[in-house]
Amino acid sequence: MAGQSRIVASVVVVVLVVAAAGFAVAWRPSIAAVAPPRPDTFDPDIVKRGRDLAAIGNCNTCHTLRGAANYAGGVPVPTSFGTVFSSNITPDAETGIGRWSEEAFVRAMRSGVSRDGHHLYPTFPYDHFTNVSDADDRALYAFLMTREPVHASPPKNELSFPFNYRPLIAGWKLLYLRSADIRPDATKSAEWNRGAYLVEGLAHCGACHTPRNALGAERVNAQFAGGEVDNWHAYALNDASHAPVRWHADALYAYLRHAWHSDHGTARGPMAEVVANLSSVADSDVRAIAVYMADISGAPAPDRTRSAGAVVAQSSPAEAPQANAAGAAIYAAACASCHEGNRPLPYGGVNLALSTAIASPAPRNLINTVLSGVSGVEGEHSPIMPGFAASMDDAQMVALLNYLRARFGKQPAWSDLDKTVRDARASQAVSLAASPDARDAPANPKPGGKP
């Protein structure tokens, strides 16, 4: 009997210790609310700097619902575990962050903990924001606190048990959240180090361009190997890239600055929003991002060391496969005059032999683009293209895509293309139904406006 009592007591002690340890890990105190600070108490220069930082961080994309007020939240972010809705980060005192002190804001950025102490889901990329400096956090806070307050509460997250139990996020943080692991590299230039700081921190490029593991964390051994976001594929930026021509710093800079490059094509989907935001950022920061990304992209595969001219030469009509007459006819009628007609911009498009979308093992980006087209970029002499969702049925779309893949990509046909076309068309219909003003975003419920 005494032995049984000792066993029971031991079990109770173990349970209590585990519970206490779990509580200690998961519990975070609330930080006292403050009176919403007056906008005129912030230094205008710091506010302006915060505006640029918010653009680099692409903050409006995740915190502004298309057609709604800036930064008022409510944007659905699909994950493998359900849908998380972004929060209101305007200075509204009741539904936003108006009663957050700067201390509470910095804790959220670096630890993913709300002012009231609850853990934030890592759809908010605090695993990157740990690298943001004190000064930049202060500028971001000043910028957000000087926005127009908007009274708006996001919908309740749509997560099943146990993912709707926020204390479990503390366990995720124990596994994956590391604080400020970016250090200046004395062997590199100041420009390279600036790019590293931005890419690995506020710009959080890896959040989209890195594949994730079963728990939703970025796979550190596959950084920039490509990921999925909002029904688009975020292309690999490392040596796994399928770009027919290797990216270099000048091409990346031009693409990020002007939303397109003649050897690579046009920014579409979520990347178009990133580029739109970067259009208001200093040249030096965009250049730094390009220099860093080009340097860490790794040695390209041999077939990506060719010049754009050599790649294009291998896609001549004489080399085109003859088996897909239907696809060839659609291409000739709908695409060739712009993509091979040597027409000037904005009606002349990139030669499709240079298209990463066609060379990619995943066809979704190409389908999205053919369905919705390419809109002009404000202030840029960039390509435009009509969408073919209404004029091309699924069978015609499949025939065209197979032709493009064989002639320009020189790759085997994509599998399950019929289903992927149906899924993309359905996503476009949902997006357009929810966003009557949207013209060109087949699967993207977010805005592209500037902060």
Side-chain angles (χ1 to χ4, degrees), residues 38-106:
R38 297 199 329 265
D40 61 0
T41 61
F42 293 99
D43 183 330
D45 289 338
I46 293 179
V47 172
K48 180 180 182 304
R49 179 62 188 147
R51 183 199 66 186
D52 293 344
L53 293 168
I56 291 172
N58 209 32
C59 303
N60 63 334
T61 294
C62 282
H63 288 279
T64 306
L65 195 63
R66 190 190 296 275
N70 284 342
Y71 303 106
V75 176
V77 181
T79 75
S80 301
F81 315 99
T83 300
V84 177
F85 290 87
S86 64
S87 57
N88 179 349
I89 56 172
T90 72
D92 181 69
E94 295 181 3
T95 62
I97 60 172
R99 298 182 70 80
W100 289 35
S101 63
E102 187 176 296
E103 176 192 4
F105 178 79
V106 172

Side-chain angles (χ1 to χ4, degrees), residues 413-436:
W414 286 300
S415 60
D416 295 327
L417 197 52
D418 302 67
K419 180 180 183 303
T420 311
V421 169
R422 287 196 301 273
D423 290 346
R425 197 185 288 275
S427 297
Q428 183 192 53
V430 170
S431 177
L432 292 178
S435 307

Side-chain angles (χ1 to χ4, degrees), residues 235-289:
Y235 294 129
L237 303 178
N238 59 13
D239 57 1
S241 169
H242 291 276
V245 176
R246 185 186 186 188
W247 285 95
H248 51 72
D250 287 341
L252 276 167
Y253 166 78
Y255 182 83
L256 294 174
R257 184 86 288 177
H258 307 297
W260 86 288
H261 187 275
S262 58
D263 289 351
H264 296 281
T266 306
R268 298 288 299 125
M271 195 60 209
E273 299 170 356
V274 172
V275 173
N277 280 323
L278 289 179
S279 68
S280 65
V281 172
D283 248 14
S284 57
D285 279 344
V286 178
R287 173 69 70 178
I289 291 172

Side-chain angles (χ1 to χ4, degrees), residues 321 324 326-328 330-331 335 352 357-360 362-371 385 392-422 424-425:
N324 186 352
I330 295 170
Y331 172 78
C335 317
L352 295 179
I358 293 177
S360 172
R364 186 58 185 265
N365 289 8
L366 178 62
I367 298 171
N368 287 344
T369 302
V370 174
L371 285 172
M385 170 184 146
M392 216 178 282
D393 62 25
D394 286 1
Q396 292 170 321
M397 189 76 67
V398 169
L400 173 62
L401 295 168
N402 277 327
Y403 176 80
L404 298 177
R405 175 75 165 171
R407 176 180 167 187
F408 295 103
K410 306 297 184 187
Q411 300 284 339
W414 286 300
S415 60
D416 295 327
L417 197 52
D418 302 67
K419 180 180 183 303
T420 311
V421 169
R422 287 196 301 273
R425 197 185 288 275

Side-chain angles (χ1 to χ4, degrees), residues 30-32 100-109 113 115 141:
S30 64
I31 294 178
W100 289 35
S101 63
E102 187 176 296
E103 176 192 4
F105 178 79
V106 172
R107 184 175 72 168
M109 289 286 288
V113 177
R115 187 195 67 77
Y141 178 76

Side-chain angles (χ1 to χ4, degrees), residues 141-216:
Y141 178 76
F143 171 71
L144 292 173
M145 283 301 183
T146 52
R147 300 305 92 196
E148 187 70 25
V150 180
H151 190 83
S153 297
K156 187 177 179 181
N157 293 330
E158 298 170 354
L159 298 167
S160 57
F161 182 83
F163 305 113
N164 59 350
Y165 187 59
R166 285 186 183 269
L168 289 181
I169 303 172
W172 189 94
K173 292 176 180 177
L174 279 177
L175 293 172
Y176 301 115
L177 183 60
R178 300 290 179 268
S179 57
D181 56 356
I182 298 299
R183 297 285 185 272
D185 186 339
T187 67
K188 301 291 186 179
S189 68
E191 189 174 52
W192 187 97
N193 278 292
R194 175 64 178 167
Y197 170 74
L198 294 175
V199 167
E200 306 292 355
L202 194 56
H204 61 285
C205 303
C208 290
H209 288 278
T210 299
R212 294 179 179 271
N213 63 21
L215 293 179

